[in-house]
Amino acid sequence: MLWAAPGCFLLWLLPSVLRARASLGTGPSSSLCQQSPTKASCKGAGLRKFPKELGQGIKYLELTNNFIQNLSGSTMPRFGQLEYLDVCFNQLEVVSATTLAQLPRLRSLLLGSNHLDRNYLANGEAFHLLGNIEVLDLSVNNLESHMASWYISNLTSLRVLDLSGNTMTKLLAGTFRNSPRLRQLDLSNNYIMEIQEGAFEPLEELEVLNLALNSLHCISGFSLTQLRVLNLSHNALELFSEEEEEGAQPYLLRVLDLSHNRLLSFPELPRAHDLTHLNLSNNLIASLLPGSPHPREFFLLYKEMWRFNRTVRPVAALTHVVDLDLSNNRLELFPFSFFRSLGSLHSLSLARNCLQDVARDSVSNGTELSVRSLDLRRNALRVLPRWFFDSLPHLESMDLGSNSLQPCESQGSDQGRDLGGDSHTSAPGDTCTPFYSVPRLKHLSLSKNNLSRLQPHAFNRTPLLSLDLSENRDLSMPPGALGGLELSLQELSLRDNQMDEGRAALPCLGTLRVLDLSGNHLSLLPTGLSCSPLESLDIRNNNLQTLGRVGSWSHSLRAVSVAGNPWSCCSLGWLDTLRAAGVAVPDLSQTRCVFQEHGRNVSAGITGTPRELIEKSSKTHSFQWKAFTFFWTCIFKEE
Ligand SMILES: *[C@@H]1O[C@H](CO)[C@@H](O)[C@H](O)[C@H]1NC(C)=O
Ligand SMILES: *[C@@H]1O[C@H](CO)[C@@H](O)[C@H](O)[C@H]1NC(C)=O
Ligand SMILES: *[C@@H]1O[C@H](CO)[C@@H](O)[C@H](O)[C@H]1NC(C)=O
Ligand SMILES: *[C@@H]1O[C@H](CO)[C@@H](O)[C@H](O)[C@H]1NC(C)=O
Ligand SMILES: *[C@@H]1O[C@H](CO)[C@@H](O)[C@H](O)[C@H]1NC(C)=O
Ligand SMILES: *[C@@H]1O[C@H](CO)[C@@H](O)[C@H](O)[C@H]1NC(C)=O
Ligand SMILES: *[C@@H]1O[C@H](CO)[C@@H](O)[C@H](O)[C@H]1NC(C)=O
Ligand SMILES: *[C@@H]1O[C@H](CO)[C@@H](O)[C@H](O)[C@H]1NC(C)=O
């Protein structure tokens, strides 16, 4: 987490437990405190007052989750050495000046989740004496804008301030006038709709600002050049732009979170040269081209929106962005040329947009993107042309789940790239995507792509470590489909494909460790398995009656999940073998087997191997009859 507010994220004890403890005696009990010479902690000790018995030299005192109402002189012992005081989650409503005057060394005061909206005038006056306080937590105190302002109005040493979870509706111009040293400011989770001009102006050292979960509609002329982290997530922003001033200082901003807003366009950040993380997920961006959106697309009217008619390239400066999240927007075209200037981009998400196509204009022809991890889940892509992969030479991981892509065939090891379009053109008639010969691709998901039939050598010469082909109902996988992955593939998912054994042919995958075959119609395991040093196998929800003689793959196996198959109670020898080999069967308690009784199929829980079952039940009357029938049914069947 970027916002490291101290304290307050402590365990909430159950109120009933607290009440029970509080009623044990009338006086507060410091025996529930843990104490060392300089530290004392009385979390959830049922205290109503300050613990009196604590030693003189305490520097660090934690009193969270108690019932303390007042910090007033009469009830408080002297804590001349105290530097850190945490009274979060109490009932605090009165703080007196005489008390605070006794804490000359206090640097950190954490008062989150109290009732400091009550008596705020008198309390605030007392706070004016806290000239040395550097860290102050006033979160969740029901504070309105003017109350918060009053509390901090004379705290000149403040470095870290938490005002999150209050009821502020605006930031008043003078609020931070006397706290010029503030570095971290959390204003998240309020109702801030308005930031008065100059409100942040005194904060020349501010590095981290959290304004998430407010009601801001527009940020223009953003001028906090020294800021490193800005969180504006979960507001109602339609517009974000930097200050427009020629020759102004560059920004030091590194992390900008604009997710969950109503942005219609890429934010204007012409001077954010240091930006590394930019989150624009969950907005309404439909195009990244200059000149969009059109002013009439805005919900509200701003004078700044006319600027969008210019042809600025808003990303020209973003050469350090490593991580760009554009998921859940409204893009229809993979905006290839747009990403060209983002020369450090490693991780790009365009998941949950409306991408139907990738387009290359003459400008982007031949350019290469630095992207390593690309998330294109839940779009409407039907084809990715060869040039697309050629333009992403560093691609290692690609999630294409929930699209409509069909892999092309390749001709086996000698002629990897001959089919599926040459490397520079993408014929309009292409219907398949060449996943072969993608030189660095290690992780690929084609889950939920309505794949019907995999072509031979579809992934040949692509060094895949993991491949997800799950949830492609009725997928058919001929023997050569995974050809070429024999010496690389380590994880394979064929989950929920409703495949029978005729359609699930595996080659000899010599490095496969994790295999998910659950949710199919297999009555036999694929023979190719015997090649693989499997460690984890999931065969739940198939048609398996027995595993027969458990193959050599069981030697490396650590866990196998087996529930949801019609296992035959009479041939559970495989289970004995697995267990003897120390293989875990985590879902054994949900696993049932079937035996015949008077021509009917009877299903029974597998609680152990058959022999154990019979031995155990012969001692318990209730099982005796069943075990007897069962035993004879098996003998009969084996004959
Ligand atoms: C807290 O202070 C208020 C006002 O000063 C006073 O009325 C009340 O009795 C005090 N409560 C305790 C528990 O000391
Ligand atoms: C504000 O703080 C300064 C020292 O930090 C102190 O001298 C002054 O009295 C305080 N002002 C008020 C109104 O309490
Ligand atoms: C911004 O705030 C939101 C809401 O509290 C949080 O989920 C998100 O992780 C924060 N973003 C960053 C970059 O810390
Ligand atoms: C962007 O924000 C969304 C929503 O808050 C979050 O789920 C996602 O992980 C963030 N992306 C990055 C790359 O941090
Ligand atoms: C955009 O600019 C062009 C030419 O510069 C102008 O004709 C057009 O009216 C402008 N559109 C808007 C919405 O301002
Ligand atoms: C891209 O460049 C190649 C040659 O490098 C050329 O044959 C092709 O026509 C160009 N395509 C476009 C769309 O400009
Ligand atoms: C899935 O593919 C089949 C052809 O293989 C097609 O008839 C069907 O419409 C596709 N379904 C969806 C949801 O795209
Ligand atoms: C009992 O199960 C076997 C194997 O699943 C099946 O072939 C047979 O039809 C079933 N018999 C009845 C009576 O349901």
Side-chain angles (χ1 to χ4, degrees):
M1 213 170 93
L2 288 155
W3 178 248
C8 283
F9 301 101
L10 298 159
L11 255 186
W12 242 126
L13 287 183
L14 287 172
S16 57
V17 174
L18 290 176
R19 248 175 264 122
R21 284 187 172 180
S23 61
L24 284 177
T26 43
S29 154
S30 61
S31 60
L32 289 164
C33 300
Q34 291 172 345
Q35 202 179 338
S36 72
T38 57
K39 278 192 177 186
S41 172
C42 314
K43 289 188 222 172
L47 301 176
R48 294 179 181 279
K49 291 179 178 170
F50 252 72
K52 283 217 171 75
E53 300 85 343
L54 295 174
Q56 278 286 320
I58 299 283
K59 291 184 175 170
Y60 180 104
L61 178 56
E62 223 175 359
L63 296 170
T64 54
N65 299 85
N66 284 292
F67 306 94
I68 298 169
Q69 212 174 358
N70 290 1
L71 288 188
S72 49
S74 56
T75 59
M76 234 186 104
R78 286 176 193 283
F79 280 103
Q81 305 299 313
L82 205 59
E83 292 170 11
Y84 176 102
L85 175 59
D86 185 349
V87 200
C88 290
F89 295 102
N90 275 272
Q91 313 275 339
L92 214 54
E93 52 184 66
V94 175
V95 180
S96 81
T98 45
T99 306
L100 296 183
Q102 293 168 24
L103 306 172
R105 289 173 184 256
L106 200 61
R107 294 288 181 277
S108 299
L109 179 57
L110 311 187
L111 301 174
S113 297
N114 280 290
H115 305 297
L116 290 174
D117 53 324
R118 305 182 189 161
N119 309 305
Y120 82 93
L121 280 173
N123 292 342
E125 223 166 287
F127 268 58
H128 292 168
L129 299 171
L130 293 169
N132 295 328
I133 286 284
E134 291 173 8
V135 178
L136 178 63
D137 179 356
L138 287 174
S139 63
V140 196
N141 268 286
N142 212 19
L143 299 179
E144 292 170 28
S145 309
H146 63 286
M147 300 176 181
S149 265
W150 179 240
Y151 269 110
I152 65 165
S153 58
N154 199 31
L155 303 184
T156 48
S157 305
L158 217 48
R159 308 289 272 174
V160 178
L161 175 61
D162 189 350
L163 286 168
S164 64
N166 283 296
T167 55
M168 302 168 68
T169 52
K170 56 180 146 188
L171 280 185
L172 305 169
T175 298
F176 304 111
R177 191 189 304 127
N178 291 324
S179 17
R181 301 183 62 203
L182 212 50
R183 282 193 174 190
Q184 298 188 7
L185 176 57
D186 192 344
L187 293 163
S188 65
N189 205 4
N190 276 281
Y191 305 95
I192 299 171
M193 294 165 64
E194 186 191 343
I195 299 175
Q196 289 187 348
E197 200 165 338
F200 290 122
E201 219 156 80
L203 302 179
E204 289 187 1
E205 295 179 25
L206 195 63
E207 290 182 357
V208 181
L209 175 58
N210 193 345
L211 279 163
L213 296 151
N214 278 290
S215 307
L216 295 166
H217 281 268
C218 172
I219 302 274
S220 83
F222 168 73
S223 60
L224 294 167
T225 52
Q226 74 295 351
L227 212 57
R228 306 291 201 280
V229 179
L230 174 58
N231 195 340
L232 283 163
S233 164
H234 291 273
N235 274 276
L237 291 175
E238 296 198 278
L239 191 88
F240 180 92
S241 69
E242 282 176 2
E243 194 180 35
E244 209 181 2
E245 201 184 301
E246 295 301 321
Q249 283 173 279
Y251 287 75
L252 299 179
L253 198 61
R254 302 235 162 114
V255 177
L256 176 57
D257 190 342
L258 287 165
S259 62
H260 292 274
N261 277 288
R262 294 189 205 139
L263 293 176
L264 295 163
S265 66
F266 204 86
E268 274 195 64
L269 299 159
R271 283 183 286 133
H273 300 283
D274 290 343
L275 201 64
T276 57
H277 291 81
L278 178 56
N279 197 335
L280 294 167
S281 78
N282 292 276
N283 277 286
L284 304 172
I285 301 172
S287 169
L288 299 177
L289 300 174
S292 63
H294 193 271
R296 72 165 169 269
E297 292 173 50
F298 286 97
F299 181 69
L300 298 175
L301 294 175
Y302 315 97
K303 67 176 175 2
E304 291 81 6
M305 68 195 184
W306 298 102
R307 286 206 249 139
F308 286 102
N309 201 19
R310 298 170 324 185
T311 51
V312 286
R313 285 206 164 270
V315 289
L318 301 181
T319 50
H320 287 96
V321 170
V322 172
D323 195 341
L324 174 59
D325 192 340
L326 275 162
S327 60
N328 212 359
N329 275 283
R330 298 187 173 173
L331 296 168
E332 291 180 8
L333 205 61
F334 186 95
F336 216 88
S337 53
F338 182 85
F339 297 122
R340 210 165 42 116
S341 56
L342 289 101
S344 306
L345 196 59
H346 276 194
S347 172
L348 172 62
S349 176
L350 290 162
R352 288 178 291 148
N353 276 273
C354 328
L355 297 178
Q356 296 178 7
D357 209 347
V358 293
R360 179 173 56 166
D361 47 34
S362 53
V363 186
S364 59
N365 194 2
T367 55
E368 294 183 347
L369 305 186
S370 53
V371 174
R372 292 176 188 199
S373 165
L374 180 58
D375 189 348
L376 293 171
R377 244 177 316 165
R378 291 177 67 183
N379 278 285
L381 292 167
R382 310 186 70 84
V383 162
L384 294 175
R386 169 53 69 185
W387 67 258
F388 184 78
F389 292 96
D390 289 343
S391 309
L392 292 161
H394 305 281
L395 196 61
E396 290 176 4
S397 168
M398 197 180 198
D399 192 337
L400 291 167
S402 301
N403 281 285
S404 301
L405 296 158
Q406 302 289 327
C408 301
E409 174 176 359
S410 89
Q411 291 292 305
S413 52
D414 296 334
Q415 335 161 19
R417 308 176 67 134
D418 290 347
L419 298 176
D422 72 42
S423 56
H424 283 291
T425 54
S426 125
D430 279 356
T431 55
C432 66
T433 298
F435 286 106
Y436 52 85
S437 301
V438 184
R440 301 204 176 151
L441 191 60
K442 295 190 174 70
H443 306 279
L444 175 63
S445 171
L446 286 168
S447 175
K448 288 198 197 172
N449 267 262
N450 192 24
L451 294 182
S452 47
R453 187 179 165 81
L454 276 188
Q455 300 299 326
H457 293 92
F459 309 98
N460 192 28
R461 299 214 291 184
T462 294
L464 287 181
L465 298 179
S466 72
L467 176 60
D468 186 349
L469 296 170
S470 63
E471 294 185 74
N472 287 294
R473 219 187 142 108
D474 299 324
L475 175 66
S476 165
M477 209 168 67
L482 300 185
L485 298 179
E486 290 87 347
L487 298 177
S488 71
L489 198 64
Q490 299 183 3
E491 294 184 23
L492 175 63
S493 176
L494 294 169
R495 178 175 47 85
D496 288 336
N497 286 339
Q498 306 197 9
M499 305 162 97
D500 55 37
E501 51 275 13
R503 295 193 291 172
L506 293 182
C508 179
L509 295 169
T511 52
L512 192 67
R513 291 188 292 102
V514 179
L515 177 60
D516 188 348
L517 290 170
S518 62
N520 284 292
H521 296 316
L522 303 177
S523 50
L524 288 173
L525 290 185
T527 48
L529 274 194
S530 53
C531 289
S532 304
L534 276 187
E535 289 171 15
S536 164
L537 176 64
D538 191 341
I539 46 177
R540 283 171 299 162
N541 303 320
N542 274 288
N543 256 334
L544 296 161
Q545 294 182 23
T546 177
L547 287 186
R549 284 161 53 87
V550 175
S552 60
W553 45 267
S554 70
H555 296 313
S556 50
L557 210 56
R558 298 203 187 129
V560 53
S561 301
V562 301
N565 283 287
W567 299 112
S568 161
C569 298
C570 299
S571 44
L572 289 175
W574 57 270
L575 192 54
D576 279 334
T577 313
L578 287 181
R579 298 172 103 207
V583 178
V585 186
D587 58 352
L588 193 62
S589 62
Q590 293 104 268
T591 306
R592 302 182 75 78
C593 63
V594 181
F595 64 93
Q596 288 203 331
E597 182 185 271
H598 311 307
R600 283 187 309 126
N601 284 339
V602 179
S603 156
I606 301 181
T607 50
T609 58
R611 202 175 311 114
E612 282 168 5
L613 190 73
I614 288 162
E615 279 166 10
K616 192 162 76 187
S617 48
S618 65
K619 292 181 194 133
T620 356
H621 284 293
S622 53
F623 282 116
Q624 208 158 6
W625 177 81
K626 197 167 193 175
F628 181 77
T629 338
F630 174 49
F631 183 70
W632 284 107
T633 311
C634 291
I635 298 286
F636 180 69
K637 192 177 167 191
E638 273 161 19
E639 281 169 1

